[in-house]
Amino acid sequence: MPGEAIAGLKSFQARSIIEEMRKGSVPADYVHFFTVGRANWLNFIEDDLANYIAEGGAKVRFLHGDYGDGKTHFMSVIRHIALQQGFAVSFVVLTRDVPIHKFEAVYQGIVQQLCGNFAGLGIRSLLTQWLDSLAPEEALLDNEQIGDLAETLRNLPGMNVNFANGLIALVKNRFLPLQEGEQPDERIENRETIFHWFEAGKITKRELKPFALFEVINKANSKQMLNSLNSFLRFCGHKGLVLLLDELEMVIAQAASVRNAAYENVRLLIDNTEQASYFHIFFAIIPDVLLSEKGFKSYDALWSRVRSLGQPEQRLNYRGVLVDLHRTPLKSEELVKLGQSLRQIHQISYRWDATDSVPDQLLLDICANQKKMGLLSEVRLFVKQVISLLDLAEQGEDVTEKLDLAEHIVNSQQEMEQEKIEKLQPSWDN
């Protein structure tokens, strides 16, 4: 039970969670503490992963919800489920540093945020653990053993020759004895070059040639590289790859040329998925992405693929392409459970007893006020209010009587609107 698990938190862990939630996000390692409601969506996604993607299927879905509806949290829950089922997962937030209109940057984000049945984060951690598994520490492999492994890797379904050559180059770098005149520092430098290639870093073809790598990773070979990555992940024991791309809506505020390049990359990722296996991709979007003239409909090549998303069905289809969080908001009792978890974590964080100061009735009153103002679906607004009230109560304020909840909700909403405006400011046109 979440309550029992929360009780085992240390004060610093609890405070870290509260600080992250003040900023509107849930730390990935603790997302299960806040998983309430929307069971239908999660059950069908879980079923898809176990009985379709893990058996060789591929799928694209769009998480649809307004700012504050809980899209990022929902993606974190999917990440948690996928990891539990044995998939590798990459959760990429599309930002100034990872702009969707530059595919190389997106690929970098994917391999940097990769996690799975290996320690650490990123493709370098995956590759390092794989190398460690091939032979005991300090052991060497002979040419015949490496040759057999090379043949196996090159024959993996969907494996690109360059990706396989990169893997083989790492094995040779790690396990072959130093050649005559070769210095240990050279070996380390060469290993760094190969890792850099796998991470889609800037590197010249001349530097890559000694390792039988003849292409840098770019948009043109992206499909092959993603398929090869997934092929290698399956070779390492994963059931497939789940890719989560958050905040796609940021592209709406960009110049037309940037938007077109971004939408072309979305189309490319959709096409890649439809021809892939053991692969599931989720895009998080706000309604404007489907409704605005600067949204998907502004790019015909993409809109022709996703036009049906702009015409929501009368009844919710839990197996459909659109996961509509806005039409399936959390209920008041579910929000109260979320508030209870927040209260328990706040207590541990600041070593106090909040049960009487912020009782369940106050949590229900917050829900009632949000519902009265047509804002019950905004989970982030609820979280912001509860944490604010817990802060005030911990500092000695009587929040059950002295506070005007209507005024409090307006203030919290204004803060959120300002956050939304700042996030939608054009910031990566270049």
Side-chain angles (χ1 to χ4, degrees):
M1 296 291 290
E4 295 171 6
I6 290 171
L9 288 173
K10 291 183 169 57
S11 176
F12 175 77
Q13 292 173 309
R15 190 172 296 201
S16 297
I17 294 170
I18 292 294
E19 292 302 328
E20 283 298 308
M21 296 195 77
R22 286 188 208 281
K23 296 182 282 189
S25 62
V26 180
D29 292 340
Y30 302 106
V31 68
H32 52 291
F33 291 164
F34 306 100
T35 304
V36 294
R38 289 169 175 151
N40 272 351
W41 290 120
L42 292 171
N43 288 340
F44 281 94
I45 289 170
E46 199 166 350
D47 177 68
D48 268 349
L49 289 172
N51 300 308
Y52 180 59
I53 307 301
E55 297 299 324
K59 194 167 185 175
V60 178
R61 299 188 95 176
F62 291 86
L63 298 184
H64 177 262
D66 215 336
Y67 187 78
D69 278 349
K71 297 185 299 300
T72 300
H73 175 73
F74 195 83
M75 277 194 160
S76 296
V77 176
I78 295 172
R79 176 184 182 273
H80 182 72
I81 290 170
L83 287 171
Q84 282 191 319
Q85 286 199 17
F87 287 87
V89 183
S90 185
F91 188 159
V92 179
V93 181
L94 301 170
T95 63
R96 181 176 185 174
D97 296 323
V98 189
I100 184 67
H101 69 283
K102 293 182 179 178
F103 190 88
E104 293 82 354
V106 176
Y107 187 90
Q108 284 178 338
I110 291 171
V111 296
Q112 286 170 1
Q113 297 302 317
L114 193 66
C115 57
N117 65 6
F118 54 93
L121 188 69
I123 194 169
R124 187 179 294 232
S125 296
L126 168 69
L127 293 169
T128 300
Q129 183 164 307
W130 173 65
L131 290 170
D132 290 343
S133 73
L134 293 179
E137 194 173 350
E138 305 302 327
L140 298 176
L141 300 179
D142 59 36
N143 282 310
E144 185 178 349
Q145 290 171 306
I146 293 176
D148 291 343
L149 179 59
E151 186 176 357
T152 299
L153 291 170
R154 289 192 178 110
N155 289 322
L156 291 176
M159 178 59 72
N160 169 269
V161 64
N162 281 284
F163 202 99
N165 286 351
L167 295 172
I168 296 159
L170 278 177
V171 173
K172 289 179 176 178
N173 176 282
R174 170 75 175 268
F175 295 108
L176 284 182
L178 290 172
Q179 303 300 304
E180 188 176 347
E182 185 182 11
Q183 299 299 314
D185 286 352
E186 290 178 60
R187 189 63 67 94
I188 295 170
E189 201 174 300
N190 288 339
R191 189 182 311 148
E192 185 61 32
T193 298
I194 303 167
F195 277 140
H196 202 49
W197 180 82
F198 276 109
E199 292 168 337
K202 289 186 177 179
I203 195 163
T204 66
K205 289 187 177 181
R206 183 178 178 182
E207 292 174 281
L208 295 172
K209 193 173 180 181
F211 313 111
L213 296 171
F214 304 110
E215 287 185 311
V216 294
I217 297 174
N218 55 40
K219 180 178 173 179
N221 59 30
S222 62
K223 173 187 169 185
Q224 294 177 329
M225 292 305 172
L226 276 175
N227 286 344
S228 298
L229 173 62
N230 201 2
S231 181
F232 179 63
L233 285 165
R234 284 183 44 74
F235 178 68
C236 293
H238 297 88
K239 291 184 178 177
L241 175 61
V242 176
L243 177 57
L244 304 155
L245 294 177
D246 197 9
E247 300 191 6
L248 180 59
E249 65 269 13
M250 296 298 108
V251 73
I252 292 177
Q254 309 309 311
S257 60
V258 173
R259 287 202 312 273
N260 288 342
Y263 293 150
E264 172 60 18
N265 284 339
V266 174
R267 185 197 66 78
L268 179 70
L269 283 165
I270 292 173
D271 286 352
N272 286 357
T273 307
E274 290 179 351
Q275 299 169 41
S277 300
Y278 308 99
F279 187 49
H280 202 336
I281 183 170
F282 293 84
F283 294 96
I285 59 173
I286 61 172
D288 281 356
V289 173
L290 300 179
L291 302 174
S292 167
E293 293 305 316
K294 293 182 179 181
F296 286 169
K297 64 177 65 174
S298 69
Y299 194 71
D300 289 342
L302 174 59
W303 188 238
S304 64
R305 305 298 309 279
V306 299
R307 189 184 302 274
S308 62
L309 296 180
Q311 303 162 344
E313 299 175 17
Q314 291 294 319
R315 295 185 179 182
L316 289 167
N317 178 5
Y318 290 99
R319 292 208 185 276
V321 175
L322 195 70
V323 178
D324 201 332
L325 301 185
H326 194 64
R327 290 175 64 191
T328 52
L330 296 186
K331 299 171 184 174
S332 293
E333 57 267 29
E334 293 165 342
L335 285 171
V336 168
K337 284 184 181 177
L338 177 59
Q340 289 168 340
S341 293
L342 285 170
R343 184 175 63 199
Q344 188 178 358
I345 292 171
H346 199 281
Q347 288 181 154
I348 297 169
S349 179
Y350 299 104
R351 300 179 179 87
W352 72 299
D353 186 349
T355 310
D356 293 333
S357 303
V358 182
D360 288 353
Q361 184 56 52
L362 182 57
L363 300 177
L364 283 167
D365 291 345
I366 296 171
C367 293
N369 269 278
Q370 283 197 205
K371 189 172 184 178
K372 191 188 303 181
M373 299 176 74
L375 301 170
L376 189 60
S377 67
E378 296 196 13
V379 183
R380 188 176 298 186
L381 180 60
F382 177 81
V383 169
K384 184 176 280 290
Q385 289 188 89
V386 171
I387 291 178
S388 176
L389 291 175
L390 285 164
D391 286 342
L392 291 173
E394 189 264 334
Q395 295 164 40
E397 293 282 341
D398 184 352
V399 297
T400 57
E401 293 183 7
K402 296 180 181 178
L403 198 69
D404 184 335
L405 283 179
E407 181 182 350
H408 190 256
I409 196 172
V410 169
N411 291 337
S412 298
Q413 192 182 26
Q414 285 175 344
E415 289 178 23
M416 282 184 54
E417 283 299 318
Q418 186 57 39
E419 291 173 10
K420 182 178 179 181
I421 290 168
E422 289 172 3
K423 291 186 80 170
L424 290 174
Q425 289 297 321
S427 58
W428 29 279
D429 278 335
N430 297 323

